[in-house]
């Protein structure tokens, strides 16, 4: 049983293949955290409990006759606000009496096979109840009567669990949730480093690593989306943890809006980790009888380093997050016209793209921004989702038929959450955008954000999308989102509900994505937000792939893809070969292979030589698809740590094939350089297909391969494909 309860000691133990998570119902119903880490057989962990004797000025519970116990010092599962625990709280509720003290204590629990879905929210899913087991702990704040149900679902096979919280108001008073964290873990040491993914437009998900010392460190977004700037991912790792060794605890928030992750060291040597909706700008009114569900946090433990943590996320997400017809199916190799044409295209021009695509073995043409309204630049027409037939040379159906007749599938771009200032929709409904009456509406890219907290707004936009998608043969949609939210308010909500708008907005987006994927189950949805500004598991629940970055320079892409891979699998990373100049097609292809693969250029401009390279690449895409998309990733040389080279490899699950890729970022200074490979079977022999050389797995992993290549220049790269004999 992955979840067990020892009724004598009142201890819960959540076991996976490689981890244990233990907590106890202590006196007065306090939920005391005892342990999270490598799998242990023990149940008696009471000695492990923090001792409270350091805490003289801190208030204690008058009913507990235990000098070792103090809310200021002990480790808790769901700490409240203002009741003796001075660290960051997991929950604060503005009560009917005007006070926001909260103190949730154990009431009851139940353990069952399976995992409940979270209403209106994306979450990990299972196909049958044997795949996960759930512990629900009902807690209650005695004074207000407000209840909180803590959900812990264990994915035994994956060393992973999920956590979320449902707040219920059975009282007769309306209250306001001011703060709700979906997960809190009190580590009894702060001897860790914190790894987070930071960035900006064109430079998403760079890796930051810093020790946890005596100051609180947090990452967050209050932009209305998960953002380019900080990803809702963080890992707490041993100080000396590397790719192959050490404890690593990964946290990832299944949510696409404002978030907060914080590692808060306490004065006694521990650290509290919390993750949830960013309390800044958040509030939720809860009337009598209502409930509120907080999104889910995924927690992965690895005792074998950061690499193994990533591989667990990858496998877990491939099986239990990505859904729908495309979850396991080979994705189409596409060409997108954006970088080649911007909005300056015609139907005829795109047909030539499709003709060239056919010659090269590409499967799909994606028509990006500019096909609707009067959209010849970014100043107008978002919201006016009516086909520009003049531009396409006739009705959309006829245009798509021309593409399909070539044997090429067709995909289209939308930015459904936006309205241009210059649009018929905005002129008709100026109050349909997010705004605060009386305040200037800040503009970004000449557009405002539609108020997706309003059903009529969502319904209107969806009816237009539905019309286009149901009347035309469209196999793919790129769903874009190109600005942050500001002056966040809704014309449809009363004053006391205005702090709900950020979250209601995200729920509205999820509702439309849900309708879209349910109405068009065969559609492949690719999420995008000015590149990778909304690369999060919430989006991955609806769209199995996300455009990783607008930066398609293969050298820049290395650090973006390395960072992204800390938690997201290769199958989710939109990666295209573009006309960028810093490296040749070979390197551009080698880097884009570590993703969904496609092209983002004008294929009419290829030379004969380019065409041959691309045909070869298309063949490689097919040859290596399974190793990359179903195999295990090993990051060998990170561009975040090495100035000269980056290297990574994929190994098939049965270890019978491996693909090593190495990119020279700057001509290396070393004379000879040996790289130890990873993940192979040390008892097998592997042949390098190109050279015919045979090596044992043991040799490749212990002595390594010499990666120096004569004549390698900046931006050059090579692959080595190894096949077990
Ligand atoms: C931003 C996206 O990241 C690009 O790929 C492209 O779709 C443009 N938007 C179109 O406006």
């Amino acid at each position: 049983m992955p979840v067990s309860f020892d009724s004598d000691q009142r201890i819960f133990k959540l076991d996976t293949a490689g981890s244990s998570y233990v907590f106890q119902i202590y006196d007065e119903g306090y939920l005391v955290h005892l342990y999270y880490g490598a799998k242990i057989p023990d149940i008696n962990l009471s000695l492990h409990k923090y001792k409270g004797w350091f805490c003289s000025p801190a208030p204690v519970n008058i009913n507990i006759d235990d000098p070792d116990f103090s809310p200021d010092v002990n480790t808790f599962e769901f700490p409240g606000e203002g009741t003796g625990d001075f660290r960051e709280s997991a929950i604060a509720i503005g009560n009917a009496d005007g006070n926001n003290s909260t103190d949730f204590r154990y009431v009851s629990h139940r353990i069952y096979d399976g995992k409940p879905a979270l209403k209106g929210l994306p979450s990990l899913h299972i196909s049958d109840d044997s795949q996960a087991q759930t512990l629900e702990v009902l807690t209650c704040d005695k004074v207000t009567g407000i209840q909180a149900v803590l959900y812990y679902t264990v994915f035994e096979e994956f060393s992973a669990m999920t956590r979320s919280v449902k707040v219920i108001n059975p009282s007769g008073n309306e209250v306001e949730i001011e703060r709700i964290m979906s997960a809190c873990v009190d580590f009894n040491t702060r001897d860790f480093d914190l790894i987070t993914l930071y960035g900006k437009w064109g430079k998403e998900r760079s890796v930051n690593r810093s020790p946890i010392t005596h100051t609180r460190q947090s990452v967050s977004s209050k932009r209305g989306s998960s953002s380019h700037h900080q990803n809702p991912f963080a890992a707490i790792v041993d100080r000396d943890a590397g790719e192959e060794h050490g404890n690593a605890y990964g946290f990832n928030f299944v949510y696409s809006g404002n978030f907060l992750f914080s590692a808060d060291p306490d004065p006694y040597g521990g650290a509290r980790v919390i993750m949830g909706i960013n309390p800044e700008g958040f509030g939720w009114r809860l009337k009598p009888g209502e409930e509120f569900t907080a999104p889910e946090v995924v927690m992965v433990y690895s005792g074998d380093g950061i690499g193994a943590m990533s591989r667990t996320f990858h496998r877990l997400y491939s099986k239990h997050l990505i859904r729908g017809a495309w979850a396991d199916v080979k994705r189409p190799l596409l060409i997108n016209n954006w970088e080649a044409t911007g909005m300056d295209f015609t139907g005829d021009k795109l047909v030539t793209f499709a003709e060239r695509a056919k010659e090269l073995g590409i499967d799909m043409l994606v028509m990006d921004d500019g096909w609707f309204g009067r959209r010849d630049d970014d100043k107008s027409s978002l919201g006016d989702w009516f086909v520009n037939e003049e531009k396409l040379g006739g009705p959309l159906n006829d245009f798509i038929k021309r593409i399909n007749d070539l044997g090429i599938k067709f995909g289209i771009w939308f930015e459904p959450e936006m309205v241009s200032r210059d649009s018929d929709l905005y002129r008709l409904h100026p109050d349909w955008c997010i705004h605060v009456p009386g305040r200037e509406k800040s503009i970004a890219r000449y557009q405002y954000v539609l108020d997706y907290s309003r059903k009529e707004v969502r319904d209107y936009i969806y009816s237009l999308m539905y019309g286009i998608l149901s009347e035309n043969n469209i196999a793919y949609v790129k769903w874009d989102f190109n600005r942050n939210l500001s002056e966040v308010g809704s014309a449809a909500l009363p004053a006391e509900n205005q702090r709900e708008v950020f979250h209601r907005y995200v729920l509205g987006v999820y509702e439309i994505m849900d309708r879209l994927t349910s109405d068009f189950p065969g559609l492949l949805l690719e999420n995008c937000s000015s590149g990778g500004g909304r690369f999060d598991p919430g989006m991955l629940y609806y769209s199995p792939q996300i455009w990783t970055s607008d930066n398609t320079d293969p050298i820049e892409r290395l650090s973006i893809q390395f960072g992204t891979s800390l938690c997201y699998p290769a199958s989710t990373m939109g990666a295209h070969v573009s006309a960028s100049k810093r490296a040749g097609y070979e390197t551009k292809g080698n880097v884009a292979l570590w993703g969904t693969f496609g092209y983002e250029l004008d294929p009419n401009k290829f030379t004969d030589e380019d065409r041959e390279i691309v045909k070869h690449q298309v063949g490689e895409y097919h040859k290596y698809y399974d190793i990359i998309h179903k195999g295990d990733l090993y990051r060998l040389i990170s561009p975040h740590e090495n100035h000269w080279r980056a290297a990574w490899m994929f190994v098939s699950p049965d270890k019978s094939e491996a693909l090593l890729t190495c990119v020279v970022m700057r001509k290396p200074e070393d004379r000879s350089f040996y790289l130890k490979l990873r993940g192979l079977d040390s008892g097998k022999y592997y042949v390098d297909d190109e050279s015919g050389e045979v090596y044992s797995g043991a040799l490749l992993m212990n002595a390594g391969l010499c990666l120096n290549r004569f004549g390698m220049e900046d931006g050059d790269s090579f692959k080595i494909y190894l096949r077990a004999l």
Side-chain angles (χ1 to χ4, degrees), residues 338 368-369 375 413 445 478 480 482 528 530-531 547 550:
W338 176 250
D368 211 283
D369 194 354
R375 183 99 165 152
W413 179 96
R445 215 187 181 205
K478 177 175 172 185
D480 208 345
N482 286 308
C528 171
S530 294
W547 183 227
D550 276 345

Side-chain angles (χ1 to χ4, degrees), residues 494-566:
E496 65 269 24
N497 296 100
Q498 288 295 327
R499 288 171 71 83
E500 297 170 10
V501 176
F502 268 123
H503 184 58
R504 284 183 185 272
Y505 177 83
V506 177
L507 294 179
V509 173
Y510 287 152
E511 189 219 62
I512 294 302
M513 288 193 167
D514 200 47
R515 284 167 76 179
L516 182 68
T517 48
S518 309
D519 289 346
F520 302 96
L523 186 78
L524 175 59
L525 188 60
E526 175 155 354
N527 184 258
C528 171
S529 169
S530 294
R534 213 158 50 173
F535 207 120
D536 59 62
M539 282 294 143
L540 286 174
Y541 181 76
Y542 303 98
S543 66
Q545 56 194 56
I546 298 179
W547 183 227
T548 311
S549 177
D550 276 345
N551 192 336
T552 51
D553 175 294
I555 305 301
E556 294 281 317
R557 268 289 180 129
L558 290 172
S559 61
I560 297 170
Q561 294 182 186
F562 263 79
T564 305
S565 79
L566 275 188

Side-chain angles (χ1 to χ4, degrees), residues 215 253 431 440:
T215 41
F253 197 29
D431 69 326
E440 251 168 36

Side-chain angles (χ1 to χ4, degrees), residues 422-654:
D422 177 8
S423 65
D424 293 341
L425 180 62
Y426 185 69
R427 281 182 282 274
L428 198 62
H429 293 292
D431 69 326
W432 273 20
C433 67
I434 297 266
H435 70 287
V436 176
R439 268 188 204 287
E440 251 168 36
K441 296 176 195 155
S442 304
I443 199 139
R445 215 187 181 205
Y446 310 97
Q447 64 200 52
Y448 299 124
V449 184
L450 282 169
D451 182 356
Y452 263 45
S453 74
R454 296 175 67 169
K455 187 166 170 7
E456 68 273 36
V457 176
R458 299 195 299 267
D459 285 351
Y460 173 75
I461 295 294
Y462 187 66
S463 69
L464 297 185
M465 285 182 88
Y466 184 88
I468 286 168
L469 295 174
S470 57
E471 286 158 21
N472 297 285
N473 189 22
I474 296 176
Y476 160 110
V477 163
K478 177 175 172 185
W479 178 310
D480 208 345
F481 171 83
N482 286 308
R483 68 159 283 182
N484 300 146
L485 275 60
S486 60
E487 297 86 30
V488 174
S490 169
L493 286 172
E496 65 269 24
N497 296 100
Q498 288 295 327
R499 288 171 71 83
E500 297 170 10
V501 176
F502 268 123
H503 184 58
R504 284 183 185 272
Y505 177 83
V506 177
L507 294 179
V509 173
Y510 287 152
E511 189 219 62
I512 294 302
M513 288 193 167
D514 200 47
R515 284 167 76 179
L516 182 68
T517 48
S518 309
D519 289 346
F520 302 96
L523 186 78
L524 175 59
L525 188 60
E526 175 155 354
N527 184 258
C528 171
S529 169
S530 294
R534 213 158 50 173
F535 207 120
D536 59 62
M539 282 294 143
L540 286 174
Y541 181 76
Y542 303 98
S543 66
Q545 56 194 56
I546 298 179
W547 183 227
T548 311
S549 177
D550 276 345
N551 192 336
T552 51
D553 175 294
I555 305 301
E556 294 281 317
R557 268 289 180 129
L558 290 172
S559 61
I560 297 170
Q561 294 182 186
F562 263 79
T564 305
S565 79
L566 275 188
C567 123
Y568 306 106
S571 66
T572 65
M573 298 201 290
H576 296 168
V577 173
S578 73
S580 63
K581 294 277 183 294
R582 258 223 287 177
Y585 278 110
E586 187 169 2
T587 295
K588 293 192 260 194
N590 285 341
V591 174
L593 270 180
W594 180 1
T596 57
F597 200 76
Y599 291 87
E600 185 102 11
L601 39 66
D602 183 346
N604 295 298
K605 294 190 175 150
F606 281 147
T607 62
D608 288 347
E609 192 193 346
D610 297 340
R611 253 190 298 278
E612 288 317 304
I613 296 175
V614 170
K615 278 188 194 159
H616 181 69
Q617 274 173 357
V618 170
E620 291 195 316
Y621 162 78
H622 292 294
K623 179 173 174 189
Y624 300 130
Y625 187 91
D626 279 353
I627 310 181
I628 294 170
H629 290 252
K630 303 203 161 96
D632 286 321
L633 169 72
Y634 293 83
R635 290 177 293 257
L636 303 178
I637 310 175
S638 163
H640 296 285
E641 288 156 16
N642 189 297
H643 295 303
W644 314 105
R645 313 175 174 81
W648 64 97
M649 65 188 286
F650 285 94
V651 181
S652 62
D654 65 359

Side-chain angles (χ1 to χ4, degrees), residues 153-174:
T153 295
V154 177
F155 288 81
E156 190 179 10
E157 181 193 343
F158 293 95
S159 297
M161 54 194 269
T162 58
R163 291 183 59 177
S164 67
V165 181
K166 182 162 76 186
V167 182
I168 305 166
N169 183 0
S171 80
N173 297 314
E174 184 168 337

